[in-house]
Amino acid sequence: MDGQDPIARKVVEQGMFVKHCKVEVYLTELKLCENENINNTVTRRFSKADTIDKIEKEMRKIFSIPDERETRLWNRYMSNTYEPLNKPDSTMQDAGLYHGQVLVIEQKNDDGTWPRGPSTPKSPGASNFSALPKISPSSLSNNYNSISNRNMKNSNYCMPSYPTYKSYDYQEPGRCNEQPGLCGLSNLGNTCFMNSAIQCLSNTPPLTEFFLNDKYQEELNYDNPLGMRGEIAKCYAELIKQIWSGKYSYVTPRAFKTQVGRFAPQFSGYQQQDSQELLAFLLDGLHEDLNRIRKKPYIQLKDAEGRPDKVVAEEAWENHIKRNDSIIVDIFHGLFKSTLVCPECFKVSVTFDPFCYLTLPLPLKKERNLEVCLVRLDPLIKPMQYKVTVPKMGTIMDLCRALSALSDVPADRVIVTDVYNHRFHRIFAADENLSSIMERDDIYIFEMPVNRLEDNDQVVIPVYLRELYRQTTYSHSSGSLFGLPFLIAVPRNLTEEKLYNFLLRRMCRFVKTSADCEEIEGTVQCFKEDGINGLNGVHDEGSPSEMETDEQDDESSQDQELPSENENSQSEDSVGGDNDSENGILSDDICKGQQTTGHKKQLFTFQFINFGNSDLIYIKDDTRQIQFDDRHLRLDERSYLALDWDPEVKKRHFDDNSAEDCEKHESVEYKPQKKAFVKLKDCIELFTTKEKLGAEDPWYCPYCKKHQQATKKLDLWYLPPVLVVHLKRFSYSRYMRDKLDTLVDFPINDLDMLEFLINPNAGPSCYNLIAVSNHYGGMGGGHYTAFAKNKDDGKWYYFDDSSVSTASEEQIVSKAAYVLFYQRKDTISGTGYFALDRESTKGASAAVGIPIDSDEDCNENEQENDDIENENCMHTY
């Protein structure tokens, strides 16, 4: 606008190598305070591109701190946890500051000391540690025994500081060191998923020894375009060294989280994430940062083409090593065989592919139980509740067939609906998926006299019951829905009186006629004699649409205010004898229930709601004829016939108890026995079972030259020294997300995988458990923890963010187990399987005077090992 100052906004970059620039419209709000008065905060907004130095200058100005006074900045992200911000040139984005973050500025005392503790200069490459109040570890309620006499000290783990800025640390004098590895990780805000994954990797001995001995520095790959210039590897190494330093009972992995967020934006915020997804990213990132291959060659993949599996497997592994050779490959990578068969030409495609972890499906029941209520065609029969067993991935027709087997009602003569708040929330088509039905849904199935797909002479109409209230102005009527809606089939051409009789008969079980009318039984018998029972029909197309209504559902109340009748209905839809009733205005006669059509008293009026002019035609003559369109009338939840009841008439003639009365079939009482648990080997067997590819994931057959739903089978060929098993507990579909809390019984020791290996020369395949990542709670939330076996003392511990406690083997197997870490027994420390382990073993042997093999003997042993490894298609470490 003219005369208005422009609003300046910066363009910020996101990502490390692939830059994404965007205008920062909304600035980040920070809360600033002094160390002397932490509760008194001042709010200011900064750009993500602003530096720490700029923020500190702004804080000095706000709190009137003299220029000659020395200050330092702290990041306060928990009530008792502070992190030094000692990189003045770092931006807010680099420092990981987020909206609402509290920053504290501290002034140096006149005597040269700092209020938060003493400071001593350090070398530029050292890490920074901050003094924190002594606290007790916080954890979820559990029955794990806390470690006795543990000292609560903390390391605020940071990246190396710049030499131009003072760094500082503080250590309490006279305190004992902690046991290496028994170090918690502070929760930075929904980062328990990260803490759980890190603790599992930290307790993977060969990987941790690799970083603790600085072997990673020799293999950093700064030029790998798929890597992260060594940043992830260096950052992880610093964190592991702090965890295993034996100095701290917990550390704060903020710098590690910041680096991960820079390369994987999905982890940059503070939302709950998946520990397995972070683990997959971290293993891949470490692999690329430590890849010994500096220039990856192009390799043309080949199919087996009838060659022996041993030859194809060796070729696949060699090709993999030519492009991927790192400590991660040495420890975590295995090989499986994939077999695809075309269903048309029966072409067999065999490939061998590497894997870093196994994602195992949980054996699920292929069926589910649904409770439904069947409303019979005979109006005198009470609705009956059934419990039916249907396929989990079935259709509505499968539900109809299951109900037919119990009730003898033909499957093609029912309509399935979902009733909510006295209306039809959904009217299902026969080919819709059963996954759209939730456990909490109220499913009502209505019997129809004919097949809805074959009859063209009748229409099916949804009917809602409404109780009208007279407004004081007599200009509008309002009301609320009540009772159970129902479906009625009527001829395409009929009079209002006949439609009224159809409706009255449909409700004769719970609607009492007037004293001067015939008894219900007589009325029903009269209708049957007139042949009315045979006039009901079914509409051809029953394809429902999602509920889109201008009448809002309110879960807290069963009553709904309805708009005036003339706002959502045809002007000539209501049954009555004057213009007021046609326009939805209640006359005194209607309110008293005395409206007449011909010579018969009527208990209710009715109106067609949301029916278009093309759907039905009213012919104004003596009989008030109704004609429905010759085309198939769409069965829709929004288009319905409303039966309007006066409160007094409803009170006298409508029996609510009878209307809600429902009988239970014997199937409802049946409770199938649930399987207490499944074994891990059941999951592995399911993983190696042949399956048909889905329609959305076809395979391109090179012979047919088109995509096919081929059959696929996976088999294990070679297993790595450390086997990571991911239990697929989370399931996703179009309508729901769910977590499977099935107890998987997995062995702590001696997991023998030999029976699942198709390689005849597989070699040792017995594993022991070393770590478990746990997830408690449901989808989209919950809490992550970890069990891990310490490599030094061989005992199990429970890691819950900053808390570490002892654990027993009996506590490890639970419904919360999510990711399992197994180490092959022939690769544990002392066996000399890894080069680093061989070096340490030789050093220990020399120290105690044990003879060391000669170079010749070593060469012979290495040659034998190479022969065995080549034969087993394993990488030579």
Side-chain angles (χ1 to χ4, degrees):
M1 296 176 62
D2 295 338
Q4 179 179 345
D5 294 334
I7 300 175
R9 288 292 183 266
K10 295 182 179 180
V11 175
V12 295
E13 287 184 336
Q14 292 183 336
M16 176 61 73
F17 304 120
V18 181
K19 299 291 186 181
H20 301 281
C21 298
K22 71 173 185 177
V23 177
E24 185 184 27
V25 179
Y26 301 101
L27 301 180
T28 302
E29 184 178 283
L30 299 178
K31 296 179 180 180
L32 314 175
C33 64
E34 291 184 285
N35 185 63
E36 294 76 15
N37 192 2
I38 291 179
N39 295 326
N40 184 22
T41 60
V42 178
T43 301
R44 289 290 186 273
R45 290 181 172 86
F46 297 92
S47 169
K48 291 181 180 178
D50 289 339
T51 62
I52 300 299
D53 184 58
K54 180 177 179 178
I55 297 174
E56 185 172 6
K57 289 178 180 178
E58 181 67 17
M59 293 181 70
R60 294 178 70 100
K61 185 187 301 183
I62 292 173
F63 299 112
S64 303
I65 300 175
D67 294 339
E68 64 274 7
R69 199 70 175 265
E70 189 175 349
T71 60
R72 60 184 184 182
L73 218 57
W74 297 85
N75 177 6
R76 178 176 182 261
Y77 58 91
M78 291 178 68
S79 60
N80 52 9
T81 308
Y82 296 76
E83 175 188 18
L85 296 173
N86 57 352
K87 296 181 181 179
D89 297 332
S90 293
T91 64
M92 278 184 55
Q93 184 168 282
D94 293 337
L97 300 182
Y98 57 91
H99 187 82
Q101 182 70 58
V102 179
L103 302 187
V104 180
I105 190 167
E106 180 188 18
Q107 301 182 45
K108 198 171 188 178
N109 296 326
D110 294 334
D111 59 359
T113 62
W114 291 96
R116 300 198 63 80
S119 167
T120 56
K122 296 192 307 181
S123 61
S127 301
N128 302 297
F129 310 103
S130 63
L132 295 178
K134 287 177 283 186
I135 62 172
S136 299
S138 59
S139 65
L140 293 178
S141 59
N142 57 65
N143 56 353
Y144 307 114
N145 301 320
S146 299
I147 298 177
S148 59
N149 301 324
R150 298 196 70 239
N151 300 324
M152 292 307 301
K153 293 183 289 182
N154 165 263
S155 164
N156 275 294
Y157 163 67
C158 302
M159 290 296 290
S161 60
Y162 292 140
T164 57
Y165 195 77
K166 283 189 176 181
S167 55
Y168 35 82
D169 68 350
Y170 174 77
Q171 293 187 5
E172 299 176 70
R175 302 297 293 264
C176 299
N177 288 342
E178 303 293 336
Q179 181 176 339
L182 303 188
C183 179
L185 297 171
S186 294
N187 193 320
L188 307 178
N190 286 327
T191 58
C192 56
F193 74 96
M194 179 182 74
N195 296 343
S196 176
I198 291 174
Q199 294 291 7
C200 290
L201 283 181
S202 171
N203 287 277
T204 302
L207 183 64
T208 296
E209 292 293 342
F210 178 82
F211 282 100
L212 292 180
N213 287 276
D214 288 332
K215 294 296 183 181
Y216 74 97
Q217 294 183 355
E218 306 169 6
E219 300 183 2
L220 285 172
N221 190 336
Y222 297 100
D223 303 322
N224 187 356
L226 300 179
M228 298 155 203
R229 297 180 182 176
E231 295 294 332
I232 290 293
K234 290 189 293 184
C235 200
Y236 178 77
E238 290 292 325
L239 179 57
I240 290 298
K241 288 178 181 179
Q242 297 303 324
I243 292 176
W244 288 88
S245 65
K247 298 178 180 179
Y248 310 100
S249 56
Y250 70 93
V251 298
T252 304
R254 173 167 293 279
F256 177 79
K257 181 188 182 303
T258 300
Q259 288 287 29
V260 169
R262 294 175 69 186
F263 297 102
Q266 66 269 30
F267 301 118
S268 61
Y270 291 86
Q271 299 296 320
Q272 183 67 280
Q273 302 287 346
D274 191 314
S275 67
Q276 187 273 331
E277 291 180 1
L278 175 73
L279 181 67
F281 163 78
L282 189 53
L283 288 176
D284 185 64
L286 291 174
H287 160 65
E288 296 296 353
D289 273 2
L290 300 171
N291 199 340
R292 303 172 186 122
I293 306 300
R294 293 309 191 249
K295 186 176 181 180
K296 296 186 177 184
Y298 173 77
I299 297 175
Q300 182 69 41
L301 298 179
K302 299 179 182 178
D303 203 347
E305 299 294 344
R307 293 181 294 167
D309 284 349
K310 181 177 182 296
V311 174
V312 181
E314 290 177 354
E315 179 183 81
W317 187 257
E318 290 172 2
N319 291 339
H320 180 58
I321 295 302
K322 288 177 183 177
R323 294 175 53 86
N324 304 277
D325 186 11
S326 69
I327 185 65
I328 302 300
V329 176
D330 297 345
I331 298 174
F332 296 100
H333 282 207
L335 199 68
F336 62 70
K337 175 185 177 182
S338 175
T339 306
L340 290 162
V341 180
C342 178
E344 188 171 314
C345 68
F346 301 102
K347 155 70 178 175
V348 178
S349 173
V350 176
T351 58
F352 285 80
D353 303 301
F355 66 87
C356 189
Y357 51 86
L358 291 180
T359 296
L360 302 183
L362 271 61
L364 301 176
K365 292 191 304 181
K366 296 181 180 180
E367 298 174 332
R368 60 184 289 205
N369 293 321
L370 286 178
E371 289 193 6
V372 301
C373 192
L374 175 63
V375 181
R376 301 299 294 257
L377 187 62
D378 187 340
L380 295 179
I381 299 179
K382 295 179 182 179
M384 181 168 287
Q385 188 177 3
Y386 291 84
K387 181 185 286 186
V388 294
T389 302
V390 294
K392 272 198 169 184
M393 305 307 293
T395 64
I396 296 296
M397 181 52 68
D398 293 318
L399 171 59
C400 298
R401 293 191 185 103
L403 180 63
S404 176
L406 295 176
S407 64
D408 294 328
V409 175
D412 58 353
R413 295 193 179 186
V414 293
I415 298 178
V416 181
T417 68
D418 177 10
V419 175
Y420 173 73
N421 235 10
H422 310 291
R423 65 172 68 243
F424 290 119
H425 179 65
R426 295 282 299 275
I427 300 177
F428 296 98
D431 58 351
E432 285 194 74
N433 293 326
L434 283 174
S435 57
S436 60
I437 296 181
M438 306 290 103
E439 296 296 330
R440 63 181 181 272
D441 291 343
D442 293 323
I443 303 300
Y444 283 81
I445 302 179
F446 293 87
E447 181 186 3
M448 291 290 137
V450 292
N451 188 329
R452 60 189 291 192
L453 300 178
E454 296 177 354
D455 196 284
N456 296 323
D457 297 330
Q458 295 105 29
V459 293
V460 178
I461 306 173
V463 180
Y464 294 175
L465 305 177
R466 302 193 302 188
E467 185 174 1
L468 295 185
Y469 299 97
R470 185 173 49 184
Q471 299 289 336
T472 56
T473 61
Y474 287 88
S475 60
H476 290 86
S477 61
S478 62
S480 60
L481 297 179
F482 72 93
L484 177 69
F486 58 88
L487 298 177
I488 188 170
V490 298
R492 290 188 177 272
N493 298 294
L494 75 167
T495 62
E496 283 183 350
E497 182 178 0
K498 202 154 194 175
L499 178 57
Y500 175 84
N501 291 335
F502 273 120
L503 295 169
L504 186 61
R505 175 187 175 274
R506 192 67 185 84
M507 300 182 291
C508 65
R509 183 173 55 85
F510 47 85
V511 172
K512 300 175 183 178
T513 56
S514 301
D516 57 343
C517 294
E518 298 176 356
E519 293 297 325
I520 293 177
E521 291 291 344
T523 303
V524 174
Q525 183 61 34
C526 179
F527 287 149
K528 289 183 177 179
E529 291 175 358
D530 290 341
I532 295 177
N533 187 48
L535 293 176
N536 293 335
V538 182
H539 173 47
D540 182 21
E541 297 182 16
S543 178
S545 63
E546 289 291 337
M547 185 67 174
E548 297 176 356
T549 177
D550 51 1
E551 299 169 6
Q552 227 174 1
D553 289 341
D554 184 2
E555 294 189 32
S556 63
S557 172
Q558 291 296 315
D559 296 331
Q560 301 179 3
E561 286 297 319
L562 299 178
S564 61
E565 308 299 345
N566 58 341
E567 291 181 3
N568 63 351
S569 62
Q570 289 182 294
S571 61
E572 300 179 351
D573 284 355
S574 64
V575 176
D578 54 33
N579 292 331
D580 285 344
S581 63
E582 291 175 6
N583 293 324
I585 303 172
L586 294 180
S587 65
D588 289 337
D589 288 339
I590 298 176
C591 293
K592 294 176 183 178
Q594 300 299 320
Q595 183 186 358
T596 62
T597 298
H599 300 287
K600 293 182 180 179
K601 295 180 181 179
Q602 290 197 337
L603 304 180
F604 53 84
T605 61
F606 54 80
Q607 290 187 341
F608 289 97
I609 307 299
N610 293 329
F611 277 79
N613 292 328
S614 61
D615 294 327
L616 62 90
I617 301 173
Y618 254 94
I619 302 176
K620 277 200 168 184
D621 55 15
D622 294 339
T623 60
R624 288 184 65 87
Q625 188 79 13
I626 304 173
Q627 293 183 0
F628 290 95
D629 190 88
D630 291 337
R631 298 169 301 174
H632 290 303
L633 187 66
R634 179 179 175 82
L635 192 56
D636 189 356
E637 307 91 355
R638 298 188 62 206
S639 302
Y640 58 91
L641 177 64
L643 308 190
D644 296 329
W645 290 75
D646 175 77
E648 291 299 323
V649 176
K650 174 180 177 291
K651 185 177 181 180
R652 291 197 304 266
H653 296 280
F654 193 93
D655 188 345
D656 291 292
N657 293 331
S658 297
E660 297 175 0
D661 197 7
C662 182
E663 295 181 341
K664 289 188 176 181
H665 187 262
E666 59 183 9
S667 60
V668 177
E669 305 300 329
Y670 172 71
K671 294 181 180 180
Q673 187 176 2
K674 292 185 178 179
K675 191 175 181 180
F677 61 89
V678 298
K679 292 185 176 293
L680 180 63
K681 291 193 174 184
D682 297 334
C683 302
I684 302 174
E685 287 177 357
L686 186 60
F687 175 78
T688 57
T689 301
K690 184 185 298 184
E691 63 176 350
K692 185 178 180 180
L693 297 179
E696 69 284 351
D697 187 29
W699 168 68
Y700 183 79
C701 178
Y703 280 63
C704 299
K705 304 297 182 182
K706 62 180 179 180
H707 289 89
Q708 299 279 14
Q709 286 184 255
T711 57
K712 181 178 181 180
K713 189 178 189 308
L714 296 176
D715 293 292
L716 299 175
W717 181 264
Y718 157 64
L719 295 177
V722 175
L723 178 64
V724 180
V725 177
H726 167 221
L727 301 177
K728 196 173 181 181
R729 290 196 176 275
F730 299 107
S731 61
Y732 305 87
S733 70
R734 177 183 175 186
Y735 298 97
M736 63 178 176
R737 300 187 303 166
D738 192 21
K739 181 193 173 184
L740 307 174
D741 60 353
T742 306
L743 175 63
V744 178
D745 184 22
F746 51 90
I748 307 297
N749 299 304
D750 299 322
L751 171 64
D752 192 355
M753 296 291 292
L754 184 61
E755 62 181 289
F756 301 107
L757 288 165
I758 63 170
N759 181 2
N761 303 311
S765 57
C766 194
Y767 288 81
N768 287 342
L769 188 72
I770 57 173
V772 179
S773 175
N774 303 305
H775 179 267
Y776 300 92
M779 288 289 298
H783 183 63
Y784 286 92
T785 64
F787 287 109
K789 189 176 184 179
N790 186 274
K791 67 182 182 66
D792 293 338
D793 63 11
K795 296 180 180 179
W796 282 94
Y797 295 91
Y798 182 68
F799 297 85
D800 184 1
D801 288 336
S802 59
S803 171
V804 182
S805 55
T806 57
S808 64
E809 291 187 356
E810 291 75 19
Q811 298 166 329
I812 296 172
V813 179
S814 71
K815 293 182 178 181
Y818 183 42
V819 183
L820 313 178
F821 285 70
Y822 280 95
Q823 184 173 6
R824 211 167 62 217
K825 295 173 69 173
D826 67 306
T827 67
I828 61 176
S829 179
T831 60
Y833 182 87
F834 294 102
L836 188 60
D837 188 36
R838 290 196 294 271
E839 292 176 8
S840 60
T841 302
K842 288 181 181 179
S845 299
V848 296
I850 298 177
I852 301 175
D853 294 338
S854 64
D855 291 342
E856 184 177 349
D857 294 335
C858 290
N859 291 335
E860 290 178 1
N861 292 335
E862 290 178 1
Q863 183 61 42
E864 289 180 6
N865 290 336
D866 288 346
D867 292 341
I868 294 175
E869 289 172 353
N870 288 333
E871 184 178 357
N872 296 339
C873 193
M874 294 166 55
H875 176 54
T876 304
Y877 305 103

